[in-house]
């Protein structure tokens, strides 16, 4: 990544594996001027404060800045003119390049996965806030919604782009937008699918590389995003809801002949057969239509799925032609949960193991959101304006990308290294106290040994079964 700034002190121990000599979050040359004290301070604040307490007041208590430090940090995140989008583009490209530099990297294993996340907020003045569905709690709540892109490679995932969703109640109120600092060219209403496509095109343009595009049922519903990805020449596998309708056999479209001399003649196309819901289709499948695929080894045993893939057709009732897709269905053998996806991959040339891998990768995106929120304060901000929201997200993404990089660099020596492990080590290093670093390393080693025993126990139990 970019030049590292403000490297924390190391202790007297000679063990480089756990000392983390890379543990200086890179700031110089990305988005704002080199050596920017406040940018580095804000990132330190994200690392040092605990979940639920990462507002500027609490973060400021952990920092050692001259002058009116609270006001300086507030001004930096809210009113400073540095470009969040430039920083995010650098994070995206640097992450892509770092993945590609690994010996076992293959572009086809990297996925660009789109998802949204809600940030629960009180009041009505925070930019974009409205009563809308918040997936994190499964109901309508007062919140802001961000549309995010994650770059996933194997078991590693970090956020590389974002867009703040503005409901029509905001885009139709120019005074409200003005007060929240929304630029005039951002006040046009855009759907979440449009925002997702906007991110994707921007990342492709800067050189981010990936093998396929993924997304949940919101983005897989309908033909809009899939057709756009087709036109861009990109492979995708998008989840769909259980009520998604498909044609197991290619329907013939035609305008039916008139059955009466009275009234207008039919003009609309009709299919010669009826579609079926994907969940009903799955229920009718005989056992021999399912294949068992082990996707990966997990901490609680291997992830084993029953998989089915077949060619299907979609029609929206308006288009002049039907669209061919591959329906991918998986059933988790541990809990019987079923997932449905549609893909434009070549059905005959794509092994079922490949479909299983792509479909299962959204798990790591959910983990990235969890880590960004619990360890880096992604939702803990207390800012109201447009620039402040994007500044905060950009610095969270920078911090998360750094942690993912550290986990990859140390994957052989510390395969169980977690986001929290790295954050706790950074805090200890920032104390400039070798004894504190030694204490954290000892705790980490004990914790990892216990986790190894738990993993071994799961696998022994699985073999015994």
């Amino acid at each position: 990544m970019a030049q590292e700034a403000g490297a924390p002190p190391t202790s007297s121990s000679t063990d480089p594996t756990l000392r983390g000599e890379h543990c200086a979050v890179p700031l110089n040359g990305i988005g704002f001027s080199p050596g920017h004290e406040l940018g580095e301070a804000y990132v330190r604040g994200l690392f040092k404060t605990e979940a639920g307490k990462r507002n500027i007041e609490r973060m400021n208590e952990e920092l050692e800045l001259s002058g009116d430090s609270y006001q300086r940090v507030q001004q930096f995140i809210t009113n400073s003119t540095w470009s969040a989008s430039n920083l995010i583009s650098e994070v995206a490209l640097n992450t892509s390049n770092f993945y590609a530099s690994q010996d076992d990297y293959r572009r086809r294993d990297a996925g660009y996965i789109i998802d949204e996340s809600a940030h629960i907020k009180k009041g009505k003045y925070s930019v974009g806030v409205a009563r809308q569905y918040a997936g994190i709690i499964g109901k309508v709540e007062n919140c802001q919604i961000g549309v995010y892109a994650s770059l996933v490679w194997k078991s590693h995932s970090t956020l590389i782009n974002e867009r703040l969703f503005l409901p029509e109640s905001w885009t139709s109120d120019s005074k409200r937008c003005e007060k929240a600092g929304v630029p005039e060219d951002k006040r046009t209403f855009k759907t979440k699918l449009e925002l997702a496509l906007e991110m994707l095109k921007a990342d492709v343009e800067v050189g981010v590389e990936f093998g396929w595009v993924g997304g949940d049922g919101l983005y897989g519903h309908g033909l809009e995003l899939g057709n756009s990805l087709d036109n861009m020449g990109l492979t995708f596998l998008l989840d769909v809801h259980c009520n998604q309708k498909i044609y197991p056999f290619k329907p013939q479209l035609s305008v039916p002949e008139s059955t009466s001399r009275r009234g207008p003649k039919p003009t609309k196309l009709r299919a010669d057969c009826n579609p079926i819901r994907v969940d009903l289709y799955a229920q009718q499948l005989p056992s021999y239509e399912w294949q068992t695929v082990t996707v990966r080894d997990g901490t609680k045993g291997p992830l084993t799925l029953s998989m089915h893939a077949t060619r299907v057709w979609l029609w929206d009732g308006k288009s002049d032609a039907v669209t061919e897709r591959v329906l991918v269905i998986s059933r988790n053998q541990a809990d019987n949960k079923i997932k449905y996806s549609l893909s434009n991959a070549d059905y005959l040339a794509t092994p079922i193991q490949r479909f299983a891998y792509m479909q299962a990768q959204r798990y790591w995106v959910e983990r990235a959101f969890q880590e960004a929120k619990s360890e880096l304060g992604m939702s803990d901000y207390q800012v109201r304006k447009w620039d402040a929201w994007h500044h905060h997200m950009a610095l969270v993404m920078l911090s998360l990308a750094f942690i993912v990089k550290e986990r990859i660099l140390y994957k052989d020596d510390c395969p169980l290294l977690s986001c929290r492990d790295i954050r706790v080590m950074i805090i200890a290093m920032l104390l400039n106290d070798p004894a504190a670093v030694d204490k954290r390393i000892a705790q980490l080693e004990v914790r990892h040994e216990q986790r190894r025993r738990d993993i071994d126990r799961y696998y022994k139990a699985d073999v015994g079964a």
Side-chain angles (χ1 to χ4, degrees), residues 58 119 169 175-176 193 221-222 233 239 291 423-424 456:
R58 296 285 83 80
H119 309 285
S169 59
K175 290 184 178 179
R176 195 180 190 191
L193 269 67
H221 177 73
D239 291 352
Q291 298 183 53
R423 190 175 75 82
V424 168
D456 290 343

Side-chain angles (χ1 to χ4, degrees), residues 402-417:
F402 163 76
I403 286 178
V404 171
K405 176 183 177 182
E406 293 298 293
R407 293 174 71 176
I408 293 174
L409 289 172
Y410 293 133
K411 66 181 185 296
D412 294 330
D413 297 308
C414 295
L416 299 180
L417 198 63

Side-chain angles (χ1 to χ4, degrees), residues 369-381:
F369 280 126
Q370 292 172 1
E371 292 174 344
K373 291 185 177 185
S374 64
E375 302 299 334
L376 296 170
M378 184 180 185
S379 293
D380 290 350
Y381 57 90

Side-chain angles (χ1 to χ4, degrees), residues 206-404:
V206 300
V208 175
E209 295 190 348
F210 48 87
W212 88 99
V213 178
D216 68 9
L218 173 67
Y219 303 95
H221 177 73
L223 297 172
E224 180 181 349
L225 183 57
N227 287 345
S228 296
L229 297 175
D230 262 340
N231 293 335
M232 294 175 67
L234 297 175
T235 300
F236 67 81
L237 185 142
L238 301 170
D239 291 352
V240 295
H241 302 303
C242 64
N243 61 355
Q244 171 71 45
K245 291 186 176 182
I246 51 96
Y247 292 90
F249 303 98
K250 186 176 182 179
Q252 299 300 314
L253 304 181
S254 62
V255 177
E257 295 182 1
S258 178
T259 58
S260 173
R261 295 182 179 180
R262 298 181 179 180
K265 292 183 178 181
T267 58
K268 293 183 178 180
L269 288 172
R270 290 185 183 178
D272 64 349
C273 56
N274 294 323
I276 185 174
R277 286 171 47 134
V278 291
D279 56 349
L280 297 179
Y281 171 84
Q283 291 172 16
Q284 298 173 9
L285 289 173
S287 58
Y288 61 81
E289 288 284 0
W290 297 89
Q291 298 183 53
T292 299
V293 176
T294 297
V295 181
R296 59 174 176 260
D297 291 332
T299 57
K300 296 184 179 181
L303 173 62
T304 303
L305 304 175
S306 296
M307 297 292 304
H308 172 81
T310 187
R311 184 186 286 117
V312 298
W313 288 264
L314 309 177
W315 186 49
D316 59 6
K318 302 175 183 177
S319 304
D320 294 334
V322 294
T323 301
E324 182 179 325
R325 294 286 183 247
V326 177
L327 172 65
V328 179
I329 307 175
S330 67
R331 181 191 294 116
N332 190 319
Q333 294 189 1
D335 56 18
N336 281 323
K337 288 185 178 179
I338 297 182
K339 290 181 66 175
Y340 310 93
S341 305
L342 291 171
S343 176
N344 66 342
D346 187 324
Y347 172 66
L348 296 178
T350 307
I352 193 70
Q353 293 81 3
R354 171 71 175 161
F355 285 124
Y357 172 83
M358 291 192 291
Q359 194 185 57
Q361 286 301 87
R362 278 199 61 244
Y363 168 81
W364 302 113
V365 180
E366 295 167 2
R367 282 280 298 274
F369 280 126
Q370 292 172 1
E371 292 174 344
K373 291 185 177 185
S374 64
E375 302 299 334
L376 296 170
M378 184 180 185
S379 293
D380 290 350
Y381 57 90
Q382 292 183 357
V383 295
R384 292 181 173 179
K385 293 194 173 183
W386 175 271
D387 283 346
W389 191 88
H390 291 284
H391 284 162
H392 173 78
M393 291 299 163
L395 292 171
V396 168
M397 289 183 182
L398 173 67
S399 303
L400 183 62
F402 163 76
I403 286 178
V404 171

Side-chain angles (χ1 to χ4, degrees), residues 132-148:
Q132 48 195 329
Y133 181 77
I136 190 172
I137 58 175
K139 64 179 182 179
V140 173
E141 186 55 272
N142 203 58
C143 63
Q144 295 165 300
I145 300 289
V147 180
Y148 297 90

